[in-house]
Amino acid sequence: MGFFFLLALLFWLKNIFAYMVDFHLGIESSIQYFILFINPIATTLLLLSIALYVRRTKAAYITMLVIYFLMTLLLFSNVSYYREFTDFITINTMLGVGKVASGLGESAIRLFRPYDVLYFIDFIVLIAAFSMKKIKMDTRPVRARMAFAISTLAVMVFSANLFLAEADRPELLTRTFSRDYLVKYLGINAFTVYDGVQTYQASQVRAEASPNDMNEVESYVKEHYAEPNDDLFGIAKGKNVIYIHLESVQQFLIDYKLKDEDGVEHEVMPFINSLYHSDSTFSFDNFFHQVKAGKTSDAETLFENSLFGLNQGALFTQLGGKNTFEAAPDILGQTQGYTSAVFHGNTGTFWNRNETYKRFGYDYFFDASYYDVNDENSFQYGLHDKPFFEQSVQYLERLQQPFYSKFIAVSNHYPYSEFTNEEGGFPLANTSDQTINGYFATANYLDKAVEEFFNYLKESGLYENSVIVLYGDHYGISNSRNRNLAELLGKTSSTWTNFDNASLQRVPYMIHIPGQSNGGINHTYGGQVDALPTLLHLLGVDTSNYIQLGQDLFSDQNEQLVAFRDGDFVTPDYTYYSSTLYDNRTGMPINDPSDELQAKVDEWKAKVDKQLSVSDQINNGDLLRFYAKSGLEEVDPSTYNYKDALQQMMDIEKNLGSDSTSAFSQNGNQSTVDLYQTKTFQEYQQMTEQDSGE
Ligand code: GP9
Ligand code: MN
């Protein structure tokens, strides 16, 4: 029993340590502190007490240690996950983790802190103590009555805990406000069990969904639909679409200049800034990402389906290989004769893309296997951006036009390791956070890569005939790091608030249409879910029969209510973030809103919850399998083959003969690959130095 209580005490200490140091649970009162301090007790006693029922001495000790180890592992995994995602690990995340594990190793190591030893040092001490006989096994068996008494005590403590929690936060379990709440009130173990039960129930949801469920969805979509803007509808009809995914780029990088140690300013993304300010670009400066744990893949879900990702885990990994979609490549393929392709220099299984893209209707997926990737030109998430774009054009030039294509850049990805080769040289920021310091240099590299790609598009003639859409997928600097970023943004870390965190969720969204001159910076508030109807209307596609949850950003009917995936939201005047309402003009919290304002807020909140729940209904119930009114034929994934794409494209070229519209064919059956120019950072540096010397 002594050993039992020792382990219980140690685990309680670790848990409290994690609460104080790593998690930010927003404790607001002394009662909440009290609940926080007691919430590990019940489950720790209960789980460890299992070992007390084991009769044989050695087996009992081992069982207890194993349980103790597993609890520590769960706690520690949550600690490191939280550092990146500011969230806790769900069962779905655990189940999906195999799919994303390849390449996560180095990131995980970057997430370690020296004090993490504290979570594991006791194992070394305990094992040493046992082997040096400092702790001896007590061979007297624990009486069954005693074991039962402990388990019962645990259940009673849990009831008391739950009672206090419900008193402080009514409906905690029925409404599950957020995972933070569950951990704050009930602890990690209880949260994990609760989540497991919910996950199981979710799998039942799909099985039980019926065509009738579609009616409610349909009426919401009809009501929420925003009509296209007449002046812009169809201005890009028939053009190629080239999406450029700007990994982890936040809006604050636009026009940002980083000061080096001599006070000299360095523009981080000069080329992308020039696009941002171009008359041919429809740019947005109040456009927000809406992703959650599925990050890049959630952004892809939003942009291509006008549906949200899931509230837990990633839609791509959980449902991407199962559900029916009405995604952009499919719509454009079936209704406008587009060919579609994704380009990405990472392994195709990451985020389960290889399966999901088929269900999105993508004709081709050029993953890492299509590129020359080696240790020098890549990192854990795949091929670096300059060789990525350069090597992509040998495939791009073979696509029949019009095409819908997506280029997923990746170098500007956490951990933003600075380049140590000829790409190195852009100044690092000088904060105490390594991750922030490298962010500007990798963003600058991305900018150059995009510029080189644009140059090629112009040289090859593809440019004139294309709409080029650039977007940031999600934050690059997580909320837990933002205080360290404050100074670089002209703010102070001590006065940093959740309003500032919310504001930083803006990401770039630019639609560049060569030949147009009525672009400009549009201040409409919108989110990634709005992108698909916006784009389709520019391409002259009627979206009124599709199940899309966003609203065209150019429409007069656009509501400018932007939902975050966790139910928070932003409007042009107010921000609701982490249960607090802020005035956008002052950035200050509004603690006593007028009745009128409160009524507005309640209405917005209800609309946001509705939009999110309709999205979840569609996804979890796989409801699009019941929807025929779009007129689209259901995608059959088995007809897609992502191998030997070059051969497939060449066969098509051959069959079409003089009707082939690929850039290769239009160039007189000559490759355009030689038109691609790429240089390293150092080579560019030398060029500018020579210029200024002359
Ligand atoms: C990996 C890349 C990164 O292929 O898209 O995804 P993220 O970690 O940003 O979700
Ligand atoms: Mn990403």
Side-chain angles (χ1 to χ4, degrees):
M1 287 311 297
F3 188 61
F4 172 86
F5 284 114
L6 173 70
L7 292 192
L9 177 70
L10 284 174
F11 190 71
W12 181 78
L13 285 172
K14 288 182 193 181
N15 222 317
I16 298 302
F17 180 77
Y19 284 160
M20 295 297 121
V21 179
D22 282 300
F23 301 141
H24 307 284
L25 296 169
I27 307 296
E28 288 150 357
S29 63
S30 40
I31 175 78
Q32 290 188 5
Y33 264 112
F34 180 73
I35 297 174
L36 189 72
F37 273 79
I38 63 158
N39 79 30
I41 298 175
T43 53
T44 307
L45 292 180
L46 188 67
L47 291 170
L48 286 178
S49 77
I50 294 172
L52 299 178
Y53 295 91
V54 177
R55 304 306 308 160
R56 294 212 338 270
T57 309
K58 204 168 164 192
Y61 273 84
I62 291 175
T63 310
M64 205 181 286
L65 273 171
V66 167
I67 295 172
Y68 179 65
F69 177 74
L70 292 176
M71 291 196 304
T72 303
L73 195 65
L74 179 67
L75 176 67
F76 183 71
S77 310
N78 273 286
V79 164
S80 73
Y81 187 80
Y82 193 92
R83 285 178 189 150
E84 175 60 4
F85 294 105
T86 328
D87 200 352
F88 297 94
I89 303 179
T90 63
I91 299 291
N92 274 331
T93 311
M94 289 182 206
L95 295 178
V97 89
K99 304 263 191 197
V100 293
S102 49
L104 282 180
E106 199 184 307
S107 272
I109 291 168
R110 281 289 289 260
L111 292 167
F112 285 143
R113 304 277 186 279
Y115 61 74
D116 288 345
V117 232
L118 292 175
Y119 288 104
F120 293 101
I121 195 143
D122 53 340
F123 289 100
I124 300 169
V125 176
L126 284 171
I127 289 165
F130 270 114
S131 53
M132 290 157 67
K133 305 250 164 13
K134 292 274 184 238
I135 301 182
K136 287 200 200 74
M137 284 194 223
D138 189 338
T139 50
R140 289 168 298 170
V142 175
R143 264 182 283 151
R145 255 197 312 185
M146 184 61 171
F148 188 67
I150 299 277
S151 305
T152 316
L153 175 72
V155 173
M156 279 161 59
V157 174
F158 188 77
S159 312
N161 186 165
L162 191 59
F163 175 79
L164 286 174
E166 284 280 336
D168 195 63
R169 178 67 270 187
E171 295 179 282
L172 176 70
L173 286 188
T174 41
R175 289 174 61 194
T176 18
F177 303 89
S178 72
R179 288 191 267 283
D180 284 22
Y181 275 45
L182 285 172
V183 172
K184 166 168 146 181
Y185 286 108
L186 302 176
I188 294 272
N189 294 333
F191 154 71
T192 307
V193 172
Y194 179 81
D195 181 63
V197 174
Q198 281 212 322
T199 307
Y200 172 75
Q201 286 168 349
S203 71
Q204 304 294 309
V205 172
R206 184 177 198 275
E208 282 161 18
S210 78
N212 280 340
D213 300 331
M214 202 52 217
N215 297 343
E216 192 189 334
V217 169
E218 234 183 295
S219 66
Y220 170 80
V221 170
K222 280 232 148 58
E223 211 175 288
H224 188 67
Y225 169 79
E227 267 173 24
N229 178 321
D230 282 343
D231 297 337
L232 298 173
F233 188 83
I235 60 169
K237 191 159 182 69
K239 290 200 179 230
N240 301 318
V241 176
I242 301 177
Y243 258 114
I244 300 183
H245 172 109
L246 303 172
E247 179 59 41
S248 300
V249 172
Q250 293 176 229
Q251 179 70 16
F252 81 81
L253 285 178
I254 297 288
D255 288 340
Y256 190 81
K257 295 190 178 74
L258 182 72
K259 273 206 182 97
D260 66 18
E261 56 221 6
D262 304 322
V264 180
E265 292 188 327
H266 300 259
E267 191 172 353
V268 177
M269 305 195 304
F271 179 69
I272 291 171
N273 293 340
S274 74
L275 291 177
Y276 180 72
H277 292 287
S278 152
D279 287 343
S280 307
T281 309
F282 296 85
S283 305
F284 291 83
D285 61 358
N286 288 309
F287 184 82
F288 292 79
H289 82 75
Q290 297 172 300
V291 313
K292 224 173 166 186
K295 300 198 80 180
T296 291
S297 68
D298 278 358
E300 296 182 58
T301 302
L302 282 147
F303 275 100
E304 300 191 308
N305 297 275
S306 193
L307 295 175
F308 288 83
L310 300 178
N311 197 28
Q312 325 183 345
L315 179 132
F316 266 45
T317 50
Q318 289 171 40
L319 303 172
K322 293 186 194 143
N323 277 11
T324 300
F325 298 96
E326 274 176 6
D330 180 32
I331 294 175
L332 290 171
Q334 289 201 40
T335 69
Q336 318 285 314
Y338 278 58
T339 302
S340 54
V342 191
F343 300 80
H344 183 47
N346 195 3
T347 36
T349 51
F350 199 96
W351 285 132
N352 195 29
R353 286 182 169 110
N354 53 341
E355 290 185 32
T356 308
Y357 286 156
K358 292 180 180 170
R359 290 177 175 267
F360 281 10
Y362 267 114
D363 297 319
Y364 305 101
F365 174 24
F366 300 95
D367 69 356
S369 66
Y370 283 90
Y371 296 84
D372 172 15
V373 185
N374 55 50
D375 284 353
E376 264 76 68
N377 69 8
S378 69
F379 74 134
Q380 81 243 43
Y381 293 100
L383 183 61
H384 275 307
D385 297 343
K386 281 184 190 174
F388 163 63
F389 283 111
E390 184 192 8
Q391 292 182 37
S392 293
V393 306
Q394 60 187 307
Y395 307 116
L396 179 64
E397 68 175 1
R398 300 287 186 156
L399 287 178
Q400 294 298 314
Q401 303 186 65
F403 55 73
Y404 173 92
S405 62
K406 170 160 77 171
F407 291 80
I408 306 176
V410 81
S411 297
N412 187 50
H413 190 288
Y414 177 85
Y416 315 111
S417 312
E418 60 182 293
F419 289 99
T420 46
N421 56 15
E422 322 78 67
E423 293 296 353
F426 192 85
L428 301 183
N430 183 20
T431 73
S432 56
D433 189 329
Q434 280 290 90
T435 299
I436 294 176
N437 295 349
Y439 183 54
F440 304 91
T442 46
N444 175 262
Y445 171 84
L446 166 63
D447 183 70
K448 263 278 166 283
V450 171
E451 180 173 10
E452 290 177 349
F453 182 52
F454 262 75
N455 290 340
Y456 161 80
L457 292 175
K458 288 178 186 160
E459 291 289 319
S460 66
L462 284 169
Y463 177 77
E464 295 300 326
N465 208 18
S466 302
V467 186
I468 303 152
V469 188
L470 299 95
Y471 69 86
D473 58 341
H474 49 72
Y475 61 86
I477 306 299
S478 61
N479 281 354
S480 60
R481 300 178 190 278
N482 279 346
R483 276 178 196 277
N484 292 326
L485 183 67
E487 307 278 329
L488 293 177
L489 304 181
K491 304 221 169 201
T492 39
S493 64
S494 56
T495 57
W496 189 263
T497 64
N498 257 333
F499 174 77
D500 298 311
N501 284 333
S503 303
L504 276 191
Q505 307 313 311
R506 286 178 172 80
V507 290
Y509 180 47
M510 306 175 207
I511 306 169
H512 183 72
I513 312 180
Q516 289 290 325
S517 54
N518 54 348
I521 300 168
N522 185 316
H523 307 302
T524 301
Y525 276 67
Q528 294 168 330
V529 74
D530 301 317
L532 181 58
T534 306
L535 177 71
L536 288 179
H537 290 167
L538 294 176
L539 296 173
V541 178
D542 173 12
T543 63
S544 58
N545 286 324
Y546 299 132
I547 300 298
Q548 299 180 348
L549 301 185
Q551 296 182 319
D552 182 342
L553 291 167
F554 297 115
S555 169
D556 295 340
Q557 296 169 347
N558 187 294
E559 284 181 293
Q560 303 202 66
L561 172 59
V562 189
F564 290 120
R565 177 59 259 205
D566 59 5
D568 289 342
F569 58 85
V570 184
T571 75
D573 299 316
Y574 300 97
T575 296
Y576 183 83
Y577 202 70
S578 270
S579 318
T580 306
L581 181 68
Y582 296 90
D583 184 330
N584 287 356
R585 272 169 315 157
T586 61
M588 299 307 279
I590 304 176
N591 295 319
D592 297 302
S594 65
D595 290 352
E596 200 185 337
L597 178 57
Q598 187 59 49
K600 273 252 114 209
V601 172
D602 292 344
E603 189 190 320
W604 287 325
K605 178 73 183 136
K607 282 188 175 177
V608 162
D609 288 345
K610 178 77 185 173
Q611 191 185 29
L612 293 168
S613 76
V614 168
S615 176
D616 290 339
Q617 263 173 286
I618 296 171
N619 290 328
N620 293 326
D622 187 16
L623 296 185
L624 293 179
R625 70 190 144 139
F626 302 127
Y627 187 69
K629 290 182 199 156
S630 62
L632 297 173
E633 236 171 80
E634 195 165 325
V635 171
D636 176 2
S638 69
T639 59
Y640 292 78
N641 168 19
Y642 289 159
K643 297 229 155 61
D644 310 316
L646 191 57
Q647 193 55 52
Q648 291 181 43
M649 295 188 295
M650 282 159 59
D651 289 347
I652 292 175
E653 264 173 2
K654 211 161 140 206
N655 283 341
L656 289 170
S658 60
D659 290 336
S660 168
T661 54
S662 69
F664 183 92
S665 302
Q666 291 184 346
N667 193 40
N669 291 323
Q670 294 276 315
S671 176
T672 60
V673 167
D674 289 343
L675 301 172
Y676 206 100
Q677 300 261 347
T678 179
K679 289 193 177 61
T680 65
F681 184 86
Q682 305 224 318
E683 286 167 335
Y684 283 114
Q685 284 289 88
Q686 282 157 10
M687 279 165 55
T688 26
E689 274 158 27
Q690 273 165 14
D691 280 359
S692 54
E694 274 160 17

